[in-house]
Amino acid sequence: MKANELRIAGVVDDSIVDGEGMRYTIFVQGCPRRCPGCHNPETQCFEGGRMATVEELLAEIQGNPLLTGVTFSGGEPFMQPAPLVDIARECHKKGLDVWSYTGFTLQELHARQDTAVEALLSEVDVLVDGDYREEERDLTLMFRGSRNQRIIDMKASRKQKRLVLLYQEEESEQSA
């Protein structure tokens, strides 16, 4: 795989369910987690999907003036962080925000001590972290499938040097 390529399962060019606003969602291919009840089981195999270049995806993103952001989903975005860093940086230059889903917790991602993972974390504005858990499934939740998952405001977390959840009311519900 070339540095400017990634393996994707597909894209949704006008999503309103993968983060706030109108989003371009990239579903990366490959996930080692294999969560029971996974919403996208077809994205788990690392050999599936198709190859796409960073330039190809950016051209599609730039072709839609209605977008407010881009979301990385999967599969597991943090298994292919380097090309996503390039996409995120270009999106930020265009004024778009970047969300990413991950089956890992933020702490697990940091523990990997991978420079490409850290670079992607530094570009992500909102991170939805944690594995999907069927026993904690809740269809009333916004932008996540199970109660253990967190919606982390990464920009505020970096600025305040502490974990900040995007929806504070969810924080009090989780601790109750």
Side-chain angles (χ1 to χ4, degrees), residues 7-8 11 24 42 62 65 76 85 89 94 101 129 137 140 158 166 175:
R7 185 170 293 279
I8 65 169
V11 300
Y24 183 92
E42 66 283 358
Q62 292 167 0
E76 175 53 60
V85 170
R89 286 183 180 145
K94 303 286 185 205
Y101 285 81
D129 80 337
R137 180 180 184 202
T140 67
R158 287 189 290 271
L166 186 61
S175 60

Side-chain angles (χ1 to χ4, degrees), residues 81-105:
L84 295 177
V85 170
D86 294 336
I87 293 171
R89 286 183 180 145
E90 289 301 314
C91 288
H92 282 142
K93 288 179 187 175
K94 303 286 185 205
L96 301 173
D97 66 15
V98 177
W99 284 47
S100 185
Y101 285 81
T102 179
F104 297 102
T105 64

Side-chain angles (χ1 to χ4, degrees), residues 7-151:
R7 185 170 293 279
I8 65 169
V11 300
V12 174
D13 58 7
D14 59 354
S15 173
I16 57 170
V17 298
D18 297 313
E20 293 178 342
M22 178 75 73
R23 313 198 65 75
Y24 183 92
T25 302
I26 300 170
F27 292 91
V28 301
Q29 185 71 40
C31 180
R33 308 240 3 142
R34 306 271 196 270
C35 300
C38 173
H39 189 258
N40 300 322
E42 66 283 358
T43 66
Q44 292 176 356
C45 175
F46 283 91
E47 291 78 35
R50 67 175 176 89
M51 298 305 294
T53 66
V54 168
E55 294 78 14
E56 168 192 340
L57 296 169
L58 285 171
E60 290 180 15
I61 292 165
Q62 292 167 0
N64 185 344
L66 301 177
L67 293 176
T68 58
V70 172
T71 299
F72 305 140
S73 190
E76 175 53 60
F78 286 88
M79 299 307 294
Q80 300 183 69
L84 295 177
V85 170
D86 294 336
I87 293 171
R89 286 183 180 145
E90 289 301 314
C91 288
H92 282 142
K93 288 179 187 175
K94 303 286 185 205
L96 301 173
D97 66 15
V98 177
W99 284 47
S100 185
Y101 285 81
T102 179
F104 297 102
T105 64
L106 180 58
Q107 294 77 3
E108 289 171 327
L109 291 172
H110 284 310
R112 289 172 60 183
Q113 299 182 349
D114 180 317
T115 55
V117 167
E118 291 300 325
L120 182 53
L121 286 172
S122 74
E123 293 295 330
V124 169
D125 299 305
V126 177
L127 182 72
V128 183
D129 80 337
D131 58 328
Y132 172 76
R133 297 182 186 163
E134 190 75 23
E135 67 276 7
E136 294 190 49
R137 180 180 184 202
D138 185 340
L139 297 176
T140 67
L141 300 172
M142 288 181 53
F143 309 126
R144 58 194 177 116
S146 58
R147 289 208 163 275
N148 63 296
Q149 295 171 315
R150 303 177 295 183
I151 304 174

